Amino acid sequence: MKNIIVLFIFLSLLQSCMKGESADLVIHNAQIYTMDDFNTVHNAIAIKDGKILEVGPERQIINKYSAEETIDAGSKSIYPGFIDAHGHILSYARQKLSINLVGCKSYDEMLVRIEMYQSRHNRKFIIGRGWNQNLWKKSDGMPTNDRLNELFPDIPVCLFRIDGHALLANDYLIKNSNVVEKFNTNPELHEGGYLILDSLQNTTGVFIDNAMNPILDILPDFPLNELKDAILEVQEELFGYGITGVHEAGLQFEEVEILDELMEEGKLPLNIYGMLLPTDDNIAFARENGIYQKDNLTIRSFKVYGDGALGSRGAFLKHNYADMHDHKGYLTTSLNRMKEIATICEEVNYQMNTHAIGDSTNRIMLDIYQEIYDVKPDHRWRIEHAQIVDPKDFKLFADAGVFPSVQPTHATSDQSWAESRLGKAGMAGAYAYRSLLNQFGMIAIGTDFPVEATDPFLTIHAAVNRQNAEGIPGGGFQMEESISIEQCLRGMTIWAAFAAFQENELGTIEKGKDATIIILESPLNATEQFKNNFAFMTFIKGKKVYSVE
Ligand SMILES: [Zn+2]
């Protein structure tokens, strides 16, 4: 007995001596899902200088560290900060400044929103974003601009569809941008896009993919201060969902400068992994800067648009569309140009991330990537969306080391009409996230905001339960392609970090990595808790950037 008492005193002394290793922050009384190789669950974490010092059992951490700040997590769950592997911060910021047409249930509602906005802002150029004719009760296909012309005869109006692959312009804008003439005389525009004509061969105002370019060329931007504020608004929304990093899928170098400025001002702690669009100026930027790393912004990839979207029949398919005679869609970047960009990416050591929706585009990219893979095995080149893949081609993802980057909410958003575009047989390799995961061994997961909502819990719900926010369909859409909660979380953490060459700093809760972590309001271990969840607290490099309190 005496010995035991002596031992106890000795251990207590030892403990109090050991305590005193200093930390900036200790969070305890938590369920910490580390997402390491074994998915170890711990209870406490110590943080110093923005890095994780140690994660371990409650008493081990509490006894060892004296911290400047201690947070009792009240048994809540902690995960690595979510990385949205495919989102559009700048587009979303501009959407916030434009007329919000998301969720309009009719053309009339769209007009009302435009008039209300214009009466308040009195813009010289009216820009709206987010319409989706599939949501309109009396929809018989794409809208026409007749009523827009009546209301706005002498001011340009440009309204983007939710997917950004189509726009509706009024006649005033069509005349002033010379878009029809430019379209007719520029093969690049009509090989990678089209405009919808009425029965008299007049334009209806709808321009799709590359046909939009002459209008995009003259579209004015919002004032810089408004744009910056809107970016910060987007950041705040992301933090509230536990998103601590975004792979920005399509940037101009001027926009890199805007992000840089905000970071220098100390206002933008969000991790941003940028994909440049392959314009001449942006390629010059890449050649000059190489891999660009400043604060929490990294630029080391190009985003290439391989084809259009399925909804507007711009996705390039191997077979004709089931609901459009003699039409397979198209490449929006020519095959030769795609190969040129691949060579440039190899030269500047950038990653190539290509938007590929149709099965034909996916196959073309897999073949191009294969050539690079043969000389550079760990290139991690990505296909964004990988939405429709010929089942015969799945194995090429493994063969060519191609990283699938997918957005599960697309499956549940498209479920009601995808088969009408693809036919029954075409659905076999569509939205096939489990099949893709089985090939490559990892998938990067994103939301594709603002095409879809920023809410990552809807993404988890779509990936695991294969249901939309309303719980449709009851039994799940193509359940054979669902993935597990753990797989989905890895896709939003460590695998997304891998897809950006950031696995040594981000993606798991392990000693030495960035203390970029989130405390969630509800745990993610029961299906009914996926939705209506949010971040209770969000930390980037050990600094609290968001809290509900
Ligand atoms: Zn996108």
Side-chain angles (χ1 to χ4, degrees):
M1 187 66 188
K2 206 174 164 192
N3 284 347
I4 292 172
I5 293 168
V6 170
L7 184 69
F8 181 75
I9 293 169
F10 173 74
L11 284 175
S12 306
L13 274 171
L14 189 70
Q15 235 167 35
S16 58
C17 288
M18 279 168 67
K19 184 150 176 153
E21 266 193 55
S22 75
D24 296 333
L25 172 65
V26 161
I27 307 175
H28 70 104
N29 188 20
Q31 293 290 311
I32 304 178
Y33 294 87
T34 59
M35 303 311 293
D36 65 9
D37 288 347
F38 312 101
N39 204 11
T40 321
V41 181
H42 282 305
N43 302 108
I45 181 172
I47 293 163
K48 191 181 170 77
D49 297 333
K51 298 279 182 193
I52 296 166
L53 278 180
E54 190 174 349
V55 54
E58 180 83 2
R59 289 193 64 82
Q60 180 178 314
I61 302 294
I62 294 274
N63 291 338
K64 185 167 169 186
Y65 294 96
S66 70
E68 267 171 41
E69 190 188 357
T70 302
I71 294 174
D72 180 337
S75 305
K76 289 190 190 313
S77 301
I78 294 183
Y79 290 88
F82 293 147
I83 300 167
D84 191 328
H86 184 119
H88 303 267
I89 300 163
L90 272 296
S91 300
Y92 192 24
R94 291 192 178 97
Q95 176 164 308
K96 282 183 182 290
L97 296 170
S98 312
I99 308 163
N100 179 9
L101 304 175
V102 177
C104 278
K105 294 278 191 302
S106 65
Y107 198 115
D108 288 317
E109 186 181 346
M110 186 164 84
L111 293 177
V112 170
R113 289 199 199 178
I114 298 168
E115 283 188 301
M116 275 171 54
Y117 174 95
Q118 188 56 3
S119 67
R120 262 183 288 130
H121 293 86
N122 197 25
R123 303 262 190 207
K124 291 193 178 69
F125 198 125
I126 299 177
I127 302 171
R129 287 168 210 265
W131 59 268
N132 179 0
Q133 83 288 353
N134 289 322
L135 303 177
W136 298 350
K137 286 187 197 89
K138 282 184 284 176
S139 171
D140 47 2
M142 286 288 186
T144 63
N145 67 2
D146 304 331
R147 294 170 63 203
L148 215 50
N149 295 333
E150 282 166 29
L151 274 176
F152 303 101
D154 49 15
I155 177 170
V157 183
C158 178
L159 309 175
F160 290 93
R161 193 177 181 278
I162 181 87
D163 60 12
H165 287 269
L167 64 79
L168 176 68
N170 68 343
D171 280 349
Y172 184 89
L173 174 57
I174 292 170
K175 283 194 191 93
N176 281 284
S177 60
N178 239 341
V179 55
V180 178
E181 199 190 310
K182 286 177 184 161
F183 176 80
N184 288 331
T185 53
N186 184 342
E188 219 176 86
L189 300 189
H190 53 249
E191 276 161 22
Y194 62 106
L195 41 90
I196 298 182
L197 301 174
D198 64 16
S199 55
L200 300 170
Q201 296 300 298
N202 293 317
T203 158
T204 58
V206 175
F207 298 82
I208 296 171
D209 290 318
N210 289 357
M212 305 191 294
N213 289 357
I215 291 176
L216 298 181
D217 287 345
I218 62 160
L219 204 69
D221 204 354
F222 296 95
L224 185 61
N225 61 329
E226 287 187 37
L227 191 57
K228 280 182 164 178
D229 285 348
I231 291 169
L232 298 180
E233 218 181 286
V234 171
Q235 172 179 252
E236 190 68 6
E237 184 177 320
L238 296 171
F239 286 166
Y241 284 125
I243 295 173
T244 52
V246 176
H247 298 178
E248 162 66 62
L251 272 178
Q252 304 287 0
F253 81 93
E254 297 97 330
E255 294 168 335
V256 173
E257 284 168 13
I258 297 173
L259 297 174
D260 255 350
E261 276 175 34
L262 281 168
M263 286 180 187
E264 269 166 29
E265 290 164 22
K267 294 176 181 161
L268 191 66
L270 182 71
N271 282 316
I272 300 176
Y273 180 79
M275 311 179 200
L276 289 177
L277 295 163
T279 62
D280 291 345
D281 286 345
N282 292 340
I283 290 169
F285 175 95
R287 286 197 193 283
E288 199 184 313
N289 292 283
I291 293 174
Y292 182 86
Q293 172 77 59
K294 209 174 157 197
D295 299 323
N296 35 317
L297 173 66
T298 307
I299 311 283
R300 63 168 302 172
S301 62
F302 278 105
K303 160 79 180 288
V304 186
Y305 279 97
D307 61 1
L310 189 65
S312 45
R313 300 182 187 82
F316 188 32
L317 304 180
K318 290 187 176 185
H319 303 282
N320 282 328
Y321 275 77
D323 56 358
M324 194 170 183
H325 194 56
D326 255 357
H327 179 77
K328 288 191 167 78
Y330 38 74
L331 291 178
T332 48
T333 306
S334 73
L335 186 60
N336 277 341
R337 182 63 184 153
M338 221 101 80
K339 288 180 178 166
E340 272 170 30
I341 296 167
T343 308
I344 293 166
C345 285
E346 202 196 348
E347 281 166 17
V348 298
N349 199 18
Y350 270 37
Q351 179 191 42
M352 185 162 172
N353 301 336
T354 308
H355 162 117
I357 303 270
D359 51 4
S360 190
T361 318
N362 273 282
R363 176 56 195 258
I364 287 167
M365 295 322 299
L366 288 164
D367 288 342
I368 294 176
Y369 284 10
Q370 177 76 54
E371 285 175 35
I372 304 294
Y373 178 74
D374 291 340
V375 286
K376 204 177 182 186
D378 189 24
H379 62 164
R380 308 188 195 181
W381 284 15
R382 291 163 52 165
I383 289 188
E384 302 300 313
H385 310 307
Q387 198 159 297
I388 302 141
V389 178
D390 184 337
K392 287 201 290 287
D393 297 338
F394 275 131
K395 71 183 236 326
L396 301 178
F397 279 88
D399 294 351
V402 177
F403 218 120
S405 168
V406 302
Q407 304 76 35
T409 48
H410 287 328
T412 49
S413 294
D414 299 359
Q415 55 173 308
S416 63
W417 51 264
E419 194 174 321
S420 66
R421 300 277 188 280
L422 297 169
K424 211 171 180 56
M427 292 301 287
Y431 313 96
Y433 310 134
R434 188 190 295 183
S435 300
L436 289 166
L437 173 57
N438 288 343
Q439 287 300 327
F440 186 71
M442 291 188 254
I443 44 176
I445 292 181
T447 64
D448 205 4
F449 72 82
V451 178
E452 304 276 359
T454 41
D455 183 345
F457 304 101
L458 291 178
T459 294
I460 301 171
H461 184 56
V464 176
N465 297 327
R466 304 278 291 189
Q467 289 176 341
N468 66 13
E470 286 77 44
I472 298 169
F477 169 67
Q478 297 182 316
M479 278 306 282
E480 65 280 9
E481 291 295 347
S482 74
I483 57 174
S484 70
I485 303 171
E486 187 183 328
Q487 288 166 337
C488 187
L489 287 169
R490 286 190 185 280
M492 294 159 56
T493 54
I494 185 62
W495 293 340
F498 257 101
F501 303 90
Q502 293 173 330
E503 72 275 13
N504 293 326
E505 297 85 42
L506 298 169
T508 61
I509 300 180
E510 289 179 278
K511 184 181 165 71
K513 285 200 177 185
D514 285 359
T516 296
I517 58 171
I518 53 178
I519 305 178
L520 290 189
E521 175 62 19
S522 311
L524 288 168
N525 47 19
T527 52
E528 64 269 21
Q529 284 162 325
F530 291 162
K531 291 187 290 172
N532 307 320
N533 205 341
F534 51 87
F536 180 71
M537 281 183 194
T538 302
F539 298 84
I540 292 185
K541 290 186 177 163
K543 269 183 87 174
K544 196 193 293 169
V545 292
Y546 177 86
S547 169
V548 286
E549 286 170 339

